[in-house]
Amino acid sequence: MTHPTSGGAEGVREGGRDGGGSRMPGRMFPVAGPGNGLADHYIDAIAAALDKSRRPATLRAYERAWERFRVWAVSEGLEPLPADPLTVAAYLAYRAGIGRSASTLAMDRKAISFHHGKRGYPSPTAAEGVKATLAGLRNQAAEEGRGDPKQARALTATALRAIERTAHRQRRGPTGRTESLEAAQHRGDVDIALASVMRDALLRRGEAARLRWDAVEFWSDGSARVVIRRSKTNNASAVLYVGMRAAKALRRIRPADAEAGDRVFGLRSGRSIANRIAAMARAAGLGDGFSGHSPRIGMAQDLTAAGVGLPALMVAGRWKSERMPAYYSRAQSAGRGAVANFYANGAAPGGGG
């Protein structure tokens, strides 16, 4: 029994190079052979698991990054698959030269590695020369002041209050027409609920887009809980707290005839969420730079300023690594550091040298 669309059972057993879209990477089973005696139903189970080994959004990002690399390689007269490590190093240097960030270069490297692996080729990105080139490009960016990731502006509690004050004002649409009072009221209610719930639950934009009413539970004390069944970093479900103010905003937008599977905010993608956050911030006079990450960053900063430590912050935001929450809240952490405490405790300026 074979599966032509996914490389087939022999692709798993032998790690064969099909040159096409095999989803069963040979490099994952480098010593498997046709005499291992595995029944086809085991092969089918492995193939199904490998199909789910990357999230759809990650696969789409890999596809876009791979296509950019492929087009560049062909334009330079170079072979994209299998690519020589020197070709990959040159591509990364090219991408850095046109201003791409270190995180973008890392995505390029992962995409190239993934596409080689799923076709049964060894990854050229594993070469020491490619690793050293990438490290050198990161160091160059840091020396030139380009090393830090670009951070969305934080939607703090103060920013949320500004949005609440202005959310129901009528706006002019892209066609030049002003929305009705009724439309402004409903849109404003959704804006407030979206920003509030994303902050309280530290939701990622994709999580907010996927949230359904059957994952929302209102409690008798006025708060609410939302269940995130899958996240970016964890396939296990998470139950997240939503405070009374945000829960009230959530109740306000729930239709009387809402079905369990209806989307809470009525937005179908993370991009739509990001655009909505940016629009409400501009309308509130907060300016540009806000995105779908802004509520999460804003709550991380507010929690840190309130004295929440990094371990508890990581739990609240479901971060597995301390790198990003520490980066988001670095200014607030500095405000609670040793020097800040020194002055807060009444130390006189000046002193001995």
Side-chain angles (χ1 to χ4, degrees):
M1 178 178 178
T2 60
H3 304 267
T5 61
S6 62
E10 294 306 312
V12 174
R13 291 187 178 123
E14 297 180 9
R17 300 180 181 179
D18 62 5
S22 170
R23 292 184 299 229
M24 288 178 274
R27 68 186 176 90
M28 292 186 181
F29 302 98
V31 298
N36 58 23
L38 279 178
D40 283 344
H41 67 274
Y42 289 120
I43 301 301
D44 292 341
I46 294 171
L50 290 176
D51 279 344
K52 300 295 184 181
S53 65
R54 298 291 195 286
R55 290 174 59 80
T58 301
L59 290 174
R60 289 192 295 270
Y62 282 0
E63 289 298 328
R64 292 191 295 268
W66 168 255
E67 183 61 15
R68 287 192 294 267
F69 170 68
R70 189 195 65 79
V71 169
W72 174 86
V74 171
S75 71
E76 295 288 333
L78 302 169
E79 181 62 50
L81 188 75
D84 186 274
L86 197 57
T87 297
V88 176
Y91 177 68
L92 295 175
Y94 157 74
R95 295 278 283 165
I98 60 174
R100 297 300 178 258
S101 67
S103 60
T104 299
L105 297 185
M107 172 60 74
D108 291 335
R109 182 192 63 78
K110 290 177 182 178
I112 294 168
S113 177
F114 176 77
H115 275 269
H116 277 73
K118 81 172 187 176
R119 289 169 173 83
Y121 293 109
S123 173
T125 67
E128 288 302 318
V130 173
K131 294 178 182 178
T133 298
L134 192 57
L137 293 172
R138 281 196 294 262
N139 291 340
Q140 286 178 1
E143 290 172 0
E144 296 167 8
R146 297 182 291 110
D148 285 344
K150 184 178 180 180
Q151 179 178 306
R153 290 183 63 187
L155 203 162
T156 61
T158 300
L160 178 60
R161 299 290 92 83
I163 287 171
E164 290 174 335
R165 289 192 298 270
T166 58
H168 297 109
R169 294 176 183 172
Q170 291 171 281
R171 298 182 195 168
R172 193 181 300 274
T175 62
R177 297 182 62 180
T178 301
E179 62 185 345
S180 67
L181 285 171
E182 183 180 5
Q185 182 67 38
H186 175 70
R187 192 252 320 127
D189 286 346
V190 173
D191 282 355
I192 292 170
L194 175 63
S196 301
V197 173
M198 287 187 71
R199 268 181 48 83
D200 280 12
L202 283 90
L203 293 182
R204 299 177 176 90
R205 63 183 196 174
E207 294 168 344
R210 292 190 296 271
L211 187 64
R212 262 65 170 188
W213 283 114
D214 62 358
V216 177
E217 181 182 0
F218 293 103
W219 283 45
S220 59
D221 66 356
S223 65
R225 306 292 187 273
V226 297
V227 178
I228 302 300
R229 294 186 174 87
R230 270 183 25 161
S231 71
K232 180 180 177 182
T233 59
N234 197 338
N235 284 329
S237 63
V239 180
L240 308 172
Y241 179 85
V242 173
M244 288 186 286
R245 191 175 182 126
K248 184 177 180 179
L250 205 51
R251 287 181 186 272
R252 193 179 299 123
I253 67 168
R254 181 170 185 169
D257 59 350
E259 299 284 343
D262 290 347
R263 293 175 187 267
V264 171
F265 303 113
L267 301 169
R268 303 190 65 84
S269 69
R271 173 54 58 188
S272 298
I273 296 287
N275 291 340
R276 191 68 170 256
I277 295 291
M280 69 177 78
R282 284 195 297 270
L286 298 173
D288 295 324
F290 289 84
S291 76
H293 297 294
S294 294
R296 186 168 162 86
I297 296 171
M299 181 54 90
Q301 293 185 357
D302 286 344
L303 289 173
T304 302
V308 174
L310 187 55
L313 179 59
M314 290 173 63
V315 172
R318 294 158 292 133
W319 281 287
K320 287 188 174 181
S321 165
E322 65 181 25
R323 186 174 71 89
M324 290 315 297
Y327 179 77
Y328 292 151
S329 59
R330 62 198 186 281
Q332 289 71 32
S333 295
R336 295 177 53 243
V339 175
N341 286 330
F342 174 74
Y343 286 111
N345 290 331

